[in-house]
Amino acid sequence: EPDVSIVSGLRDRVVSEGDDVTFQCQVSHENARDVEWKLQDVALQNNEMNEISVEKGRIHTLTLRKVTEQDIGTVTFRVGPHTSTA
């Protein structure tokens, strides 16, 4: 299995309370396994508040819906041993 690395990392975002915010990370290979999104060191699941998707097999996207003050913090994308934060 090829070693998947991060080609394009996360970028910091400033957003108003109640808005949605999207983070994207591009990886080197399609169908990467062992992928994880975190907010403030808490693993995120795909649900009505967190939309996690993969476009074109390599662009991993996290959308946080209707953010609040409690959502302020570090977003982390991890694939294997590689991480990117914003």
Side-chain angles (χ1 to χ4, degrees):
E1 199 169 297
D3 183 33
V4 178
S5 61
I6 296 171
V7 176
S8 176
L10 299 177
R11 293 197 170 93
D12 291 342
R13 298 277 189 252
V14 176
V15 64
S16 298
E17 193 167 13
D19 288 350
D20 296 349
V21 62
T22 299
F23 297 91
Q24 283 191 327
C25 208
Q26 183 175 346
V27 298
S28 59
H29 295 78
E30 290 187 13
N31 304 319
R33 289 177 230 201
D34 195 23
V35 171
E36 183 177 50
W37 286 97
K38 288 184 174 183
L39 175 60
Q40 303 168 21
D41 281 333
V42 176
L44 299 176
Q45 304 297 323
N46 196 22
N47 58 36
E48 67 278 351
M49 297 306 291
N50 313 312
E51 183 183 325
I52 298 171
S53 62
V54 181
E55 299 169 33
K56 300 177 188 160
R58 294 177 47 193
I59 301 171
H60 293 257
T61 304
L62 166 67
T63 300
L64 302 176
R65 304 260 180 232
K66 297 181 175 66
V67 295
T68 66
E69 245 181 64
Q70 286 74 39
D71 295 319
I72 292 172
T74 301
V75 171
T76 305
F77 173 83
R78 180 185 62 76
V79 58
H82 308 287
T83 60
S84 178
T85 59

